[in-house]
Amino acid sequence: METVRFGEVLDRVKKALDSTMAFWIQHSHDEDHGGFFTCLGCDGTLYDDLKYIWLQGRQVWMYCRLYCELPRFHKPEIIDAALKGGDFILKHAQVFPPEPKCAFVTTRDGRPGSVQRTLFSEAFVVMGLSELGRATGLLHYTKAAWKLMKHIVHWVRIDSSGLGKPALSGSVRHSAMAVPMILLCLIEQLEKSTNKDSGAPDTSTDGVGHGMEEDHGLDLRELGQWCEDQILLHVQRDGKAVLEHVSPEGAELSGSFGRLQNPGHAMEAGWFLLLRAAQRGDSAMIHKTMSSFVLGPLESGWDEKYGGLFYFLDVDGHSPTQLEWCMKLWWPHCEALVALLTAYMHERKPELLDRFFMVFDYTMSHFPDKKHGEWFGYLDRQGQQTHDFKGGPFKGCFHVPRALYLCETMLEQLLEELGPSA
Amino acid sequence: METVRFGEVLDRVKKALDSTMAFWIQHSHDEDHGGFFTCLGCDGTLYDDLKYIWLQGRQVWMYCRLYCELPRFHKPEIIDAALKGGDFILKHAQVFPPEPKCAFVTTRDGRPGSVQRTLFSEAFVVMGLSELGRATGLLHYTKAAWKLMKHIVHWVRIDSSGLGKPALSGSVRHSAMAVPMILLCLIEQLEKSTNKDSGAPDTSTDGVGHGMEEDHGLDLRELGQWCEDQILLHVQRDGKAVLEHVSPEGAELSGSFGRLQNPGHAMEAGWFLLLRAAQRGDSAMIHKTMSSFVLGPLESGWDEKYGGLFYFLDVDGHSPTQLEWCMKLWWPHCEALVALLTAYMHERKPELLDRFFMVFDYTMSHFPDKKHGEWFGYLDRQGQQTHDFKGGPFKGCFHVPRALYLCETMLEQLLEELGPSA
């Protein structure tokens, strides 16, 4: 029975991953300047040629991860496009080189258009370049990733003034969950890039990544523990709520800022934490994560009336001030799928599987575009499409293929365990 | 017939204005620190105590304008609250005094929380303080308004580096319609404050505002003409579209940024332009404005399927990248009401009146809260409420009462012209 359903889901997941990647490969490559277009209409038509640096880094990462991990994507056209993306980033991401701060967006030919006073552009650059180094064995990408990572860690733990936000007497001292979360993601990446089973081809230069950690004075183990501790501060209300912003000491903050929840984000943190806990066999942490970061956010975030996950919530039930709070976005559904299946891999509870299938059914019946491939990104509360494009300033080649790739891998493993169907 | 409908509408407008003002007077005054709370739930309950400077300036302005212009609001409790708001602004709006840059938001007790790299906080401070000077005859408010106005004009026309945005080689040189529009609004305000029929009580100090214009080296007449010229650059596609961003020379810009339309914003510019054109008896400009800034945006912005005005549009019909593009917000409807009635005052075409009644009916059946007074601010495309609060970071005591006050004044005039009903 399960074998049948797993097989059916795996089949749909694989096909969705293939058509998603085909969409990006066909429509997003800028052959003239390198890098990727992301403002792509329903059928792949370009409606804006700006280059968003978050999305450049993410697409390089995605191409390289698939190139390394799934044989059917180990193709020259994929690594070539990733290399052109990596070179675009190296050449154009920094606003005022050698200053590390990266642009949020550049023109098609790489001139910086705007800069955010946060660290996310830089984080996705690290993610992309590090995986590109792993996939190609070319050290200069790996080195650039480590160098920028060091700046990020400095901004987070020592001095954030380099991000450009003025220090104000009324600004609220807080921990934003997004920060330790993205750091955990980068740690996973950098650890992978230093592993011996690197994705680099056999012809790779000796010593990819080896010694990088020491060279750059970063203790990834200590940093990872710090991130986990930081994320756990966001669990409030006796473990029943994950709040996006808390005080640096882990106390609730007042106002809408302090009450904000983002269920998809909590579940994304959930699967990062699960993977780390599983790696070290920490079953207490697995259990806690499953309850607070997977099942809790799913329960509070699921719209009982129309289905789907809300984008934002206020823990006390006020209307969130974000205008889009009740919209259904593609990416929280991606994160929920990964979180629920990861949870099931580590605790074989039927309710986890039920929930996974519930989210899978909603997702697959609402987001994919059967005609042109890839997924629509934005629905209203009722589940009607509000935007017809496949990519935009915040939606690129990342959440959909990452979730599908991770689900594919887990489903393959589950099917293997179950053996041939009766 | 018209007399009956005008009378009915006037009655509803007056009652709506009274209940809206009663809501703010009852719930928004911070007796301890001065200034106004704006994060007010459905029934007036405070859900956040932050002070948004845009909304502080706007509420001071609204209180003073009503205090000066409508006898039933000429009450001590109104001017007292406005004075406390003005003093809060004088004491706390500037982030690093004597630098002119103002905060976007402060804590309840006035410590700056964040700063935008735009000029809107400053603009609403000028608006509020200037009208407070006019209402009270107290020169220090008037002087502070003129002084800050001079900085704003410097940022707009000489050097914008004081706003804090880095100069980037890939940032698009452009004119944003919001800028000359807000300047026009401030010009109207400052002109009013220098008029002899000031709203100041008879006991006012001699010379309120007189000589201010010269003292501060601002030529309001020249500035006003410049603003009108700038706004007209935004009329594109043979007069059929108003675009939010164009090149400084008035050429269309590429991408989503260049194609963006905001129908409510265009209509707001419309009534500013109509008032100025009418003042100087410029019938050609009245005609042009009516077509490009009133009827055009109403036609392209009106949702034929569900009624109401879209928030954003892309002139080529792509999905705007703003997630909230198809939501129905209270303020574009306020601006449409004022624009259509102002247009009708200057050209008595039945179609203008038909459109006014169409927008009025949609607005009054969707936004007002019959139970607790004031209006809801945010609906989905279908017209269902998405947020239950009356005020938030961007909705305060401004668009609703301003539109109602202006419509009341115009409807009174129309009824007077028509004479007693048959």
Side-chain angles (χ1 to χ4, degrees):
Chain A
M1 178 58 192
E2 274 176 3
T3 316
V4 175
R5 186 83 220 249
F6 284 148
E8 179 220 318
V9 168
L10 174 61
D11 188 52
R12 293 175 68 186
V13 162
K14 274 178 139 167
K15 281 181 181 150
L17 179 56
D18 289 348
S19 80
T20 296
M21 292 307 295
F23 182 91
W24 292 100
I25 290 166
Q26 186 179 348
H27 301 295
S28 73
H29 299 178
D30 182 354
E31 298 300 343
D32 296 336
H33 298 275
F36 305 101
F37 300 121
T38 60
C39 291
L40 300 174
C42 180
D43 62 357
T45 308
L46 197 66
Y47 66 87
D48 203 326
D49 65 3
L50 292 174
K51 304 256 174 78
Y52 292 89
I53 297 297
W54 289 30
L55 304 186
Q56 302 299 313
R58 284 167 162 184
Q59 190 157 352
V60 169
W61 178 85
M62 194 71 244
Y63 276 37
C64 294
R65 181 60 61 103
L66 290 177
Y67 179 83
C68 292
E69 302 293 339
L70 295 186
R72 70 186 188 278
F73 295 104
H74 196 87
K75 295 195 291 193
E77 61 174 331
I78 289 191
I79 199 67
D80 286 351
L83 278 162
K84 282 184 189 155
D87 290 341
F88 183 90
I89 288 172
L90 281 184
K91 200 164 170 192
H92 301 299
Q94 284 165 271
V95 181
F96 300 115
E99 292 299 310
K101 197 77 196 74
C102 293
F104 173 66
V105 65
T106 75
T107 56
R108 181 180 174 185
D109 60 0
R111 287 167 294 126
S114 74
V115 188
Q116 289 183 314
R117 297 177 288 186
T118 58
L119 47 73
F120 299 104
S121 286
E122 295 77 12
F124 294 116
V125 164
V126 169
M127 200 169 161
L129 293 181
S130 167
E131 188 68 358
L132 184 58
R134 185 170 85 100
T136 61
L138 293 167
L139 265 179
H140 64 292
Y141 298 117
T142 314
K143 278 184 179 165
W146 278 95
K147 194 172 169 192
L148 190 50
M149 178 69 177
K150 207 179 157 190
H151 286 291
I152 294 175
V153 174
H154 177 83
W155 291 329
V156 174
R157 298 187 69 179
I158 314 281
D159 176 11
S160 67
S161 61
L163 294 173
K165 273 199 186 163
L168 300 172
S169 60
S171 72
V172 182
R173 285 177 60 244
H174 69 278
S175 161
M177 199 173 70
V179 172
M181 248 189 77
I182 191 79
L183 283 181
L184 268 196
C185 180
L186 298 182
I187 289 166
E188 184 264 0
Q189 176 57 42
L190 294 169
E191 280 174 349
K192 211 171 184 85
S193 81
T194 57
N195 277 350
K196 278 170 191 156
D197 62 337
S198 135
D202 295 337
T203 55
S204 69
T205 355
D206 185 48
V208 176
H210 287 287
M212 285 290 171
E213 191 167 348
E214 291 73 24
D215 287 355
H216 289 281
L218 284 178
D219 180 345
L220 292 187
R221 190 182 305 262
E222 186 275 337
L223 183 63
Q225 190 54 54
W226 181 84
C227 291
E228 282 194 34
D229 294 343
Q230 287 285 310
I231 292 174
L232 291 177
L233 295 180
H234 293 261
V235 180
Q236 297 286 331
R237 314 251 171 144
D238 295 326
K240 290 192 175 53
V242 177
L243 303 180
E244 285 292 296
H245 311 112
V246 294
S247 84
E249 297 75 30
E252 262 199 49
L253 297 169
S254 69
S256 301
F257 186 74
R259 293 190 304 265
L260 188 68
Q261 297 185 283
N262 182 328
H265 208 221
M267 283 186 271
E268 187 177 5
W271 65 262
F272 289 0
L273 291 175
L274 282 175
L275 291 181
R276 290 181 60 88
Q279 215 170 13
R280 63 173 185 264
D282 183 346
S283 60
M285 181 69 176
I286 288 177
H287 192 76
K288 184 184 166 79
T289 301
M290 219 166 280
S291 157
S292 292
F293 287 90
V294 181
L295 292 173
L298 181 68
E299 196 182 323
S300 58
W302 191 257
D303 182 353
E304 286 300 331
K305 192 164 179 189
Y306 297 104
L309 283 161
F310 290 118
Y311 188 15
F312 291 110
L313 290 173
D314 175 298
V315 70
D316 285 341
H318 298 283
S319 296
T321 56
Q322 288 78 4
L323 298 197
E324 66 275 24
W325 78 270
C326 61
M327 289 177 68
K328 310 291 163 65
L329 272 64
W330 85 105
W331 73 259
H333 296 81
C334 292
E335 301 313 319
L337 290 173
V338 176
L340 287 161
L341 205 52
T342 306
Y344 183 71
M345 299 302 283
H346 298 290
E347 242 179 61
R348 298 294 162 95
K349 289 185 181 166
E351 67 169 310
L352 290 168
L353 215 51
D354 290 347
R355 299 284 203 290
F356 172 79
F357 289 133
M358 174 186 80
V359 177
F360 185 78
D361 290 340
Y362 179 90
T363 301
M364 296 306 280
S365 61
H366 283 79
F367 291 104
D369 177 9
K370 291 185 188 75
K371 191 167 175 194
H372 300 288
E374 243 282 348
W375 295 11
F376 298 108
Y378 305 92
L379 316 176
D380 64 15
R381 184 173 172 188
Q382 293 79 4
Q384 297 293 311
Q385 226 186 80
T386 56
H387 294 67
D388 70 358
F389 51 65
K390 297 297 170 46
F394 292 95
K395 182 173 188 288
C397 179
F398 185 61
H399 288 97
V400 175
R402 180 173 74 165
L404 293 169
Y405 145 67
L406 290 168
C407 287
E408 177 178 327
T409 310
M410 290 187 276
L411 288 162
E412 297 268 22
Q413 192 181 323
L414 286 171
L415 276 166
E416 201 168 301
E417 284 174 26
L418 287 166
S421 172
Chain B
M1 179 58 194
E2 275 177 0
T3 316
V4 175
R5 185 85 221 247
F6 284 149
E8 179 221 317
V9 169
L10 173 61
D11 187 53
R12 292 175 69 186
V13 162
K14 275 179 139 168
K15 282 182 181 147
L17 179 56
D18 290 348
S19 81
T20 296
M21 291 307 295
F23 182 90
W24 293 99
I25 290 167
Q26 187 181 348
H27 301 295
S28 73
H29 300 178
D30 181 353
E31 298 300 342
D32 296 337
H33 297 276
F36 305 100
F37 300 122
T38 61
C39 291
L40 300 173
C42 181
D43 61 357
T45 308
L46 196 68
Y47 66 86
D48 203 325
D49 65 3
L50 291 175
K51 302 255 174 77
Y52 291 90
I53 297 298
W54 289 29
L55 303 187
Q56 302 299 313
R58 285 168 160 183
Q59 190 158 353
V60 169
W61 178 85
M62 194 71 243
Y63 275 38
C64 294
R65 182 57 63 101
L66 291 178
Y67 179 82
C68 293
E69 303 294 338
L70 294 186
R72 70 185 189 278
F73 294 105
H74 196 86
K75 295 195 290 191
E77 63 174 330
I78 290 192
I79 199 68
D80 286 352
L83 279 162
K84 281 183 190 156
D87 290 341
F88 183 91
I89 288 172
L90 281 183
K91 200 165 170 190
H92 301 300
Q94 284 164 271
V95 180
F96 300 115
E99 291 299 310
K101 197 78 196 75
C102 293
F104 174 66
V105 65
T106 74
T107 55
R108 181 180 173 185
D109 61 359
R111 287 168 293 126
S114 74
V115 188
Q116 290 183 313
R117 297 176 289 187
T118 60
L119 48 72
F120 299 105
S121 286
E122 294 77 11
F124 294 116
V125 164
V126 169
M127 200 170 164
L129 293 180
S130 168
E131 189 67 357
L132 184 58
R134 186 170 86 99
T136 60
L138 294 168
L139 266 178
H140 65 290
Y141 298 118
T142 315
K143 279 184 179 164
W146 277 95
K147 193 172 168 191
L148 190 51
M149 178 69 177
K150 208 178 155 188
H151 285 292
I152 293 175
V153 173
H154 177 83
W155 290 329
V156 173
R157 299 187 68 180
I158 314 281
D159 176 10
S160 67
S161 61
L163 294 173
K165 272 198 187 163
L168 300 173
S169 61
S171 73
V172 182
R173 284 178 61 246
H174 70 278
S175 160
M177 199 173 70
V179 172
M181 248 189 77
I182 191 80
L183 283 181
L184 268 196
C185 181
L186 298 181
I187 289 167
E188 185 264 359
Q189 176 56 43
L190 294 170
E191 280 173 349
K192 213 174 183 81
S193 82
T194 56
N195 277 351
K196 280 172 190 150
D197 63 335
S198 133
D202 295 338
T203 55
S204 68
T205 356
D206 185 50
V208 177
H210 287 287
M212 286 291 172
E213 191 168 347
E214 292 73 25
D215 288 355
H216 289 281
L218 285 177
D219 180 345
L220 292 188
R221 190 182 306 262
E222 185 275 336
L223 184 61
Q225 190 54 54
W226 181 84
C227 290
E228 281 194 34
D229 295 343
Q230 287 286 310
I231 292 175
L232 291 177
L233 295 180
H234 293 260
V235 180
Q236 298 286 332
R237 315 253 171 139
D238 295 325
K240 289 193 175 55
V242 177
L243 303 180
E244 286 291 298
H245 311 111
V246 294
S247 85
E249 297 75 29
E252 263 199 48
L253 297 169
S254 68
S256 302
F257 186 74
R259 292 190 306 265
L260 188 68
Q261 298 185 282
N262 181 329
H265 208 221
M267 284 187 271
E268 187 177 7
W271 66 262
F272 290 2
L273 292 175
L274 281 176
L275 291 182
R276 290 180 60 88
Q279 216 170 13
R280 62 173 186 264
D282 183 345
S283 59
M285 181 70 176
I286 289 178
H287 192 76
K288 185 184 166 80
T289 301
M290 218 164 283
S291 156
S292 293
F293 287 90
V294 181
L295 293 173
L298 182 68
E299 197 182 323
S300 58
W302 191 257
D303 182 354
E304 287 301 331
K305 191 163 180 191
Y306 297 104
L309 285 161
F310 289 119
Y311 188 16
F312 291 108
L313 290 172
D314 175 297
V315 70
D316 285 341
H318 298 284
S319 295
T321 54
Q322 289 77 5
L323 298 197
E324 66 276 24
W325 78 269
C326 61
M327 288 176 70
K328 310 292 164 65
L329 271 65
W330 85 106
W331 72 259
H333 296 80
C334 291
E335 301 313 318
L337 290 174
V338 176
L340 287 161
L341 205 52
T342 306
Y344 184 71
M345 299 303 283
H346 297 291
E347 240 178 62
R348 298 294 162 94
K349 289 186 183 166
E351 66 169 310
L352 290 167
L353 216 51
D354 290 347
R355 299 283 204 291
F356 172 78
F357 289 133
M358 175 186 80
V359 177
F360 185 79
D361 290 341
Y362 179 90
T363 303
M364 296 305 281
S365 62
H366 283 81
F367 291 105
D369 176 9
K370 290 185 189 75
K371 191 166 176 197
H372 299 289
E374 244 281 347
W375 294 11
F376 299 108
Y378 305 91
L379 316 176
D380 64 16
R381 182 172 174 188
Q382 293 80 4
Q384 298 293 312
Q385 229 184 79
T386 55
H387 294 67
D388 71 357
F389 53 65
K390 298 296 171 44
F394 292 95
K395 183 171 188 288
C397 179
F398 185 62
H399 289 97
V400 175
R402 180 173 75 164
L404 293 169
Y405 145 67
L406 290 168
C407 287
E408 176 178 326
T409 309
M410 289 186 275
L411 289 163
E412 296 267 23
Q413 192 181 323
L414 286 171
L415 276 167
E416 201 169 301
E417 284 173 26
L418 287 167
S421 173

